[in-house]
Amino acid sequence: MSAHLTTVAGVPVDTRHWIGGERVASAATFTDTSPIDGAPLAEISRGTPAEAAAAVAAARAAFPGWAATPPAERARLLRAVADGVDRRLEDLSLVETTDNGALLRSHRRGVMPRVAHNFRFFADRLEELEHEDFTTRDHTNHVTWDPAGPCVLITPWNAPLMLATWKVAPALAAGNTVVLKPAEWSPLTASLLADIAAEAGLPPGVLNVLQGYGSEVGDALTSHPDVRRISFTGSVPTARHIAASAAPHLTPLSLELGGKSPLLVFADADLDLAADLAVEQYDNAGQVCLAATRILVEESVAEEFTRRFVDRASRLRQGDPRDEATDIGPNIHPRQLDKIDGFVRRALADGARAVIGGHRGEGQYYAPTLLTDVRQDSEIVQEEVFGPVLTLQTFTGEDEAVRLANDTRFGLAATLVTGDPSRAARVSARLVAGTVWVNCFFVRDLRAPFGGSRDSGVGREGGNWSFDFYCDVKNTVTAPKGWNDHG
Ligand code: NAD
């Protein structure tokens, strides 16, 4: 076996970059560990700025050929990638769970099928993409989506392959070439995606995967003059850095960032549904950008809601994410665990009360936590924790509910539970959020726009919004025959 192959959960994974259709090793490596037990999994190529430049050069060299490939052929190749994901669904699920600690059953049943769907969806969309022509004083306006060029896609660790392919698939469908930089805490499935893409017949250089620390390779990617689009999912501070780095070339950015989303429970709500939705916020050990981490409950039902919530939360099973019975797995990294615990310690010192949890568990686990007696302007209410930590506040009436819900610098999502459809319409119209869920949570459709308001992001992806971002949208205006005849 090559020195660059490692076996994770029985699956061979190449630890090198994938650049121009070849595996490329860095001189240095970094150690990737499993959140399940902290065990080292692999020594991964630690990219350098020169390797980042080589990945962009490969994407640039492959761009004219891929952009000129007829849409039907591009769509065929994307569907072949989707078939490859389906064939390797079990491998991808096992490796992802071992690498990032999210539940194996979720990867098998939800996440990896969705990865394949990302490719099929954007292949289908590409073939349907058209804008109705219209006329201006007898001149025809014809709108087309032209490929933009090499795209840099930078992704986080909480849903690695799902979030990566939600960018890779539309970028490739649009006729662009890609450099994907996965997160250093969960780099493995991006490498498997490179294998799958190569097997599917994607030409060399169309998809490149660069491993490494964002702080070391990031600027070389995001300030590169040949890069035509940057799509980033991650934290607000990194987004600010990337925006500054991309500014000299005015490279268009799509930023999908953090959140501190509210879950509003009105007195007329089905409280069992509300408690179910609230407990769902512990999914993926709370490491979900969309998680509704601020529970806002109408005063008159707060006690009863809390009773039902605690009843459900106490039945959650925390443990090994490979076990079918587990509901909550570990957090990604000891540093993330320290960050979570720091937020909770400071909140408790500031007067918060832990209804449940409020402390670390064994190893890399954090006890599911609900904090109450929190002030609206406190850190725990205003800042994203990205762990299994929820706060509970009460309100009286719609105005106060909306005021509390909108009073953070984020605006990614909002969930409201009410039995009154007219209240649902009124309140959702007043909420600042890219997505509002009424009496449900996490219902997602690739046709829908996705993104955040305020510090939760810039731009929208999904459906044709993805093509609008990843393309140079062009309008061609043609004069009618005979218009310019002089004679
Ligand atoms: P992060 O910002 O630390 O890292 C994200 C990616 O950016 C990683 O690949 C990292 O290597 C890279 N990076 C770091 N420094 C860089 C630099 N200087 N230049 C270029 N790239 C750089 O975020 P994280 O901790 O990995 O992810 C958690 C964050 O992501 C949370 O805030 C979460 O809310 C957010 N998130 C948002 C969404 C969304 O769709 N809105 C989805 C998932 C996660």
Side-chain angles (χ1 to χ4, degrees):
M1 189 186 277
S2 152
H4 300 292
L5 274 187
T6 190
T7 302
V8 175
V11 180
V13 184
D14 202 302
T15 57
R16 296 169 290 182
H17 313 299
W18 174 250
I19 297 175
E22 288 179 4
R23 290 289 176 181
V24 176
S26 299
T29 60
F30 66 92
T31 306
D32 177 37
T33 57
S34 174
I36 300 174
D37 52 9
L41 293 175
E43 287 298 317
I44 305 288
S45 273
R46 180 170 173 168
T48 62
E51 289 157 6
V56 175
R60 187 186 166 170
F63 175 66
W66 182 244
T69 302
E73 175 62 5
R74 293 207 299 264
R76 186 189 69 75
L77 285 165
L78 291 187
R79 291 188 185 106
V81 175
D83 293 344
V85 170
D86 282 344
R87 272 195 301 276
R88 300 206 59 190
L89 189 135
E90 184 63 11
D91 287 355
L92 291 166
S93 300
L94 285 166
V95 171
E96 196 84 296
T97 289
T98 311
D99 202 15
N100 93 329
L103 299 186
L104 182 57
R105 65 174 146 94
S106 306
H107 284 142
R108 281 180 176 148
R109 285 174 218 146
V111 177
M112 295 307 164
R114 172 88 191 276
V115 166
H117 181 59
N118 283 342
F119 286 99
R120 291 202 180 94
F121 173 87
F122 285 107
D124 291 349
R125 264 285 139 132
L126 169 66
E127 293 192 308
E128 292 158 6
L129 202 59
E130 64 174 335
H131 193 287
E132 210 174 303
D133 288 353
F134 53 97
T135 54
T136 309
R137 283 181 274 112
D138 298 332
H139 295 57
T140 307
N141 292 260
H142 180 63
V143 175
T144 50
W145 285 260
D146 291 356
C151 299
V152 161
L153 311 178
I154 302 177
T155 49
W157 43 261
N158 62 320
L161 196 59
M162 215 293 291
L163 292 171
T165 54
W166 145 259
K167 298 179 188 303
V168 169
L172 295 182
N176 301 312
T177 51
V178 160
V179 177
L180 168 65
K181 212 303 278 168
E184 49 270 38
W185 283 351
S186 59
L188 300 180
T189 47
S191 185
L192 294 179
L193 179 68
D195 292 341
I196 291 168
E199 278 161 31
L202 216 61
V206 170
L207 171 68
N208 305 277
V209 176
L210 184 80
Q211 302 285 8
Y213 290 111
S215 55
E216 294 178 353
V217 294
D219 285 350
L221 296 173
T222 55
S223 67
H224 200 296
D226 292 339
V227 168
R228 297 287 179 244
R229 293 290 185 277
I230 299 168
S231 180
F232 169 75
T233 300
S235 65
V236 175
T238 308
R240 290 211 169 89
H241 182 96
I242 289 174
S245 166
H249 301 293
L250 298 176
T251 312
L253 291 167
S254 167
L255 302 173
E256 296 181 3
L257 312 176
K260 194 74 188 177
S261 301
L263 169 67
L264 293 95
V265 180
F266 287 92
D268 57 19
D270 171 343
L271 290 187
D272 284 322
L273 171 67
D276 284 341
L277 296 178
V279 168
E280 236 186 271
Q281 309 309 320
Y282 292 131
D283 276 4
N284 205 9
Q287 301 166 136
V288 177
C289 58
L290 290 162
T293 49
R294 291 185 298 133
I295 302 174
L296 305 174
V297 191
E298 193 145 16
E299 178 97 59
S300 58
V301 293
E303 206 178 311
E304 180 56 21
F305 166 83
T306 307
R307 199 185 59 73
R308 295 189 201 192
F309 173 89
V310 171
D311 178 51
R312 283 163 173 75
S314 64
R315 280 185 267 128
L316 291 173
R317 282 152 305 194
Q318 194 165 25
D320 191 319
R322 295 165 295 195
D323 185 339
E324 276 282 315
T326 296
D327 298 306
I328 305 182
N331 288 99
I332 183 80
H333 195 274
R335 284 223 305 274
Q336 184 67 15
L337 209 67
D338 290 345
K339 198 179 136 202
I340 297 166
D341 198 44
F343 275 115
V344 172
R345 300 284 109 225
R346 290 190 294 278
L348 293 172
D350 194 33
R353 181 170 61 82
V355 180
I356 57 168
H359 54 83
R360 293 169 187 260
E362 297 278 303
Q364 238 167 267
Y365 294 79
Y366 204 85
T369 295
L370 178 69
L371 299 176
T372 191
D373 298 343
V374 291
R375 281 181 294 107
Q376 178 64 20
D377 64 353
S378 63
E379 180 192 59
I380 197 69
V381 171
Q382 293 293 328
E383 298 296 325
E384 183 185 50
V385 175
F386 228 51
V389 178
L390 310 177
T391 57
L392 186 140
Q393 295 167 273
T394 59
F395 64 83
T396 320
E398 271 175 35
D399 285 346
E400 190 180 16
V402 169
R403 184 176 61 74
L404 293 175
N406 286 341
D407 181 25
T408 74
R409 65 195 166 100
F410 295 107
L412 192 54
T415 300
L416 62 114
V417 195
T418 171
D420 177 353
S422 60
R423 187 199 296 279
R426 267 193 318 273
V427 173
S428 45
R430 295 173 66 190
L431 292 171
V432 180
T435 303
V436 177
W437 283 293
V438 179
N439 295 330
C440 61
F441 178 70
F442 220 87
V443 179
R444 300 275 308 271
D445 188 316
L446 284 177
R447 289 170 297 185
F450 178 75
S453 307
R454 300 176 175 162
D455 277 9
S456 288
V458 173
R460 296 290 182 270
E461 293 189 41
N464 286 4
W465 289 273
S466 289
F467 286 98
D468 289 347
F469 172 69
Y470 288 108
C471 293
D472 289 326
V473 183
K474 182 196 281 172
N475 184 31
T476 303
V477 185
T478 305
K481 204 167 164 1
W483 178 263
N484 290 325
D485 289 353
H486 304 283

